[in-house]
Amino acid sequence: MDYFITVIFFIFGSVLGSFLNVVAYRFPRGESVVFPPSHCPKCGERIKSLDNIPILSYLLLHGRCRGCGGKISLRYPLIELITGLLWAAAYSHFGLTLQLALGLFFITVLIVLSAIDYDTKTIPNKILLPSIAISLLFMLPYLLSIETIPVITGARATEAVIGSLAGGGFLYVVAILAPLIFKKEAMGGGDIKLAAFAGLYLGGYVMLALFIGFFMGAIAGIALIAKDKSRARDMIPFGPFISAGAILTVFFGPQLWSEYLSIAGLS
Ligand SMILES: [Zn+2]
């Protein structure tokens, strides 16, 4: 039964991932995310629902549009797959709990913001700020009481606020210091707000998420420069790395942290 529900979560996640693709493509262009129905960006032909099945259609069509034969970007099935896998993973991690609902919301927002940041190097306020407002609204009753807030890492009410201020504050300091040290802008206002959003869910673990994000971002930066020296001055969008760090922290944060402490001889 449990496997069955996990599969349902995967299917639901991948269908949602298909919608996130539409949002990530149209939102920065100022287009409606609902109308018109999905169409090929190359030939404009409307995509039939049979050709719009997450992941499967891409495989069946060998990654090409049925109308014009134009290549379909691999990122579409990739985002569908990632969303599906993370939805299934969240279910098996949290079970049918309040944390699951929070975790799914958190993960889904991070995926769509990452895709947009990757394309446009900006994190849209119009998605991020309402997401922060919705999260606060949900957490408000817990903030006012002394009850444990159902944030995903099981933090207490005050930790959500502290995590949010710490995450956002830390990146704010980085944003000020980085141009002085590296002579280039490393962090935008969107990254700061994204860290504050992540802090609401992760509490103090947001620092771990940022550390993982920095680490992966540095590796990606080095790989990019190794491949093509001329790109050394390019700005790498940091949102996807913050998001990846945050998602890893959702699943492994407390465990990673306690292992770190025991390796460091602190527990
Ligand atoms: Zn086409």
Side-chain angles (χ1 to χ4, degrees):
M1 188 61 194
D2 220 37
Y3 284 110
F4 177 71
I5 301 175
T6 309
V7 171
I8 298 287
F9 269 86
F10 175 80
I11 293 170
F12 210 87
S14 61
V15 171
L16 184 72
S18 175
F19 175 68
L20 297 185
N21 277 323
V22 175
V23 174
Y25 183 87
R26 294 186 185 180
F27 190 84
R29 292 170 172 81
E31 299 172 11
S32 159
V33 297
V34 200
F35 288 106
S38 294
H39 52 87
C40 169
K42 284 177 184 131
C43 67
E45 177 150 309
R46 185 171 162 183
I47 298 166
K48 297 176 194 76
S49 38
L50 202 64
D51 289 343
N52 209 2
I53 303 164
I55 308 160
L56 279 182
S57 290
Y58 180 86
L59 297 174
L60 291 172
L61 292 166
H62 302 289
R64 293 189 176 277
C65 166
R66 195 186 286 281
C68 65
K71 251 186 135 151
I72 304 167
S73 168
L74 185 63
R75 82 173 244 173
Y76 295 113
L78 212 58
I79 285 184
E80 288 158 0
L81 183 67
I82 289 170
T83 312
L85 287 176
L86 288 174
W87 269 58
Y91 167 69
S92 62
H93 188 73
F94 294 115
L96 289 173
T97 59
L98 201 54
Q99 273 99 332
L100 176 65
L102 282 167
L104 291 177
F105 179 73
F106 184 49
I107 289 168
T108 304
V109 171
L110 290 178
I111 292 171
V112 73
L113 290 178
S114 295
I116 294 174
D117 193 23
Y118 180 83
D119 290 342
T120 65
K121 298 187 180 175
T122 43
I123 297 171
N125 274 334
K126 278 187 182 167
I127 296 178
L128 181 52
L129 295 181
S131 301
I132 292 176
I134 290 167
S135 310
L136 282 174
L137 213 61
F138 182 83
M139 292 178 186
L140 196 62
Y142 298 91
L143 293 173
L144 298 175
S145 76
I146 50 160
E147 259 179 274
T148 301
I149 199 171
V151 279
I152 21 215
T153 45
R156 276 174 206 287
T158 43
E159 277 181 47
V161 176
I162 292 170
S164 182
L165 294 174
F170 179 68
L171 282 203
Y172 181 71
V173 172
V174 172
I176 290 173
L177 291 182
L180 303 175
I181 301 168
F182 303 112
K183 305 280 180 249
K184 72 169 190 178
E185 206 171 301
M187 210 64 60
D191 297 319
I192 296 168
K193 279 170 263 175
L194 185 63
F197 173 62
L200 276 181
Y201 287 85
L202 302 175
Y205 287 107
V206 70
M207 301 312 279
L208 180 66
L210 292 177
F211 177 77
I212 297 171
F214 274 119
F215 187 69
M216 291 192 298
I219 290 175
I222 291 165
L224 190 75
I225 294 166
K227 232 175 89 184
D228 182 358
K229 276 210 164 56
S230 68
R231 302 190 66 180
R233 310 299 297 177
D234 279 15
M235 187 169 156
I236 299 172
F238 195 48
F241 295 104
I242 299 177
S243 301
I247 289 170
L248 284 171
T249 303
V250 165
F251 292 109
F252 305 110
Q255 190 188 338
L256 276 173
W257 183 240
S258 73
E259 262 162 45
Y260 168 77
L261 287 181
S262 75
I263 290 167
L266 295 171
S267 71

